[in-house]
Amino acid sequence: MRNLKVTAAYRGTKYHGFQIQNNALTVQEVLEKCVSKVLNEPVTICGCSRTDTGVHANMYVFNVKTTSNIRCLGFVRGVNGLLPDDISILACEDAPEDFHARYSCVGKEYIYKLHCSESKDPFSTDLRLHYRRKFNTDLARQAAKYFIGTHDFASFCADCTNVKSTIRTIFTFKIENSGDSVNVLVKGDGFLYNMIRIIVGTLLDINEGKLSPDDIPEILSARDRLRAGRTAMAHGLYLNRVFYSKEEMLGEASSPYNDKYTGGVGNA
């Protein structure tokens, strides 16, 4: 029995998240149908994350057990030949038998994209949040520094009932802007349900003067979802990278953003 580690990317606009549902089309459903055809056997794939409806992935990892002796290159070509244009297989490799895309993961990186202008961008309507105000990156960076490190993020979780702990570590928090485009990049050892979207929503509330950057420590200590800001829309969110070794996750020694947690607040 082989265990294939597969890297994919997808545009989540048409899908109700990754995980299979009985009454809606999901990325997992589409992938399993195509992978099963190529491997010539029914399979269940194990994904690295449950992404919400409309959320995208620049890098998504899943593993699949198979008795097929297909070459990895043949797998990539075969599955891509069956997939719709909004899902793509990027790579495939043989993995150890105990590798699991979700449970072997040691960290993830998400990116949230905004288009900050009174005028909408017709080329990114489902790929960036259209925010009709100027975004004060300096103010947002003042808030971002408070998230770096190990904290209880219960205030930034939409539903904490199914998790053993709400403590997470954020290694990197960058805010980059170019023209009307703003990207919020966050890397950590794990994320709670809607955590990134609530963090971004809180930054938007800070941008509008509803909250202050210096309110973040108090919001964190409150462990109360009602104390944090809004939940930003799903279509601006991307799973950007998935890490399976701490060396890979923390090995950015040359990064200009490095500080205590080999992360920091970006100045780009």
Side-chain angles (χ1 to χ4, degrees), residues 27-29 65 68 112 139 145 175 181 201 219 227 230 260:
V27 177
Q28 183 179 6
E29 178 183 342
K65 300 289 183 69
S68 172
Y112 195 96
L139 201 63
K145 66 184 180 182
I175 300 172
S181 297
I219 294 172
R227 296 293 299 276
R230 72 187 86 168
K260 180 179 178 183

Side-chain angles (χ1 to χ4, degrees), residues 7 17 31 67 154 160 166 171 174 195-196 236 242-243 251:
T7 305
L31 279 170
T67 59
C160 299
T166 51
F171 301 107
K174 303 177 187 177
M195 181 172 156
I196 297 296
V242 186
F243 302 101

Side-chain angles (χ1 to χ4, degrees), residues 82-108:
L82 298 175
L83 285 171
D85 290 341
D86 51 10
I87 305 176
S88 178
I89 302 299
L90 305 180
C92 172
E93 61 183 287
D94 282 279
E97 184 179 352
D98 62 350
F99 172 80
H100 191 287
R102 179 182 176 188
Y103 299 121
S104 299
C105 177
V106 299
K108 296 172 184 171

Side-chain angles (χ1 to χ4, degrees), residues 118-174:
E118 179 61 38
S119 301
K120 63 184 178 182
D121 178 5
F123 303 104
S124 66
T125 53
D126 60 343
L127 299 174
R128 287 183 177 270
L129 174 68
H130 180 203
Y131 184 63
R132 292 181 175 85
R133 296 172 184 256
K134 292 294 182 182
F135 189 84
N136 188 329
T137 53
D138 290 334
L139 201 63
R141 287 168 183 153
Q142 291 176 37
K145 66 184 180 182
Y146 290 113
F147 290 106
I148 297 174
T150 302
H151 306 285
D152 190 326
F153 283 93
S155 294
F156 296 87
C157 178
D159 182 5
C160 299
T161 58
N162 295 321
V163 293
K164 294 180 180 179
S165 172
T166 51
I167 295 174
R168 299 291 187 271
T169 299
I170 299 299
F171 301 107
T172 305
F173 198 130
K174 303 177 187 177

Side-chain angles (χ1 to χ4, degrees), residues 205-218:
D205 280 358
I206 290 172
N207 191 68
E208 295 168 20
K210 298 174 183 177
L211 293 169
S212 164
D214 294 330
D215 289 335
I216 299 301
E218 186 177 342

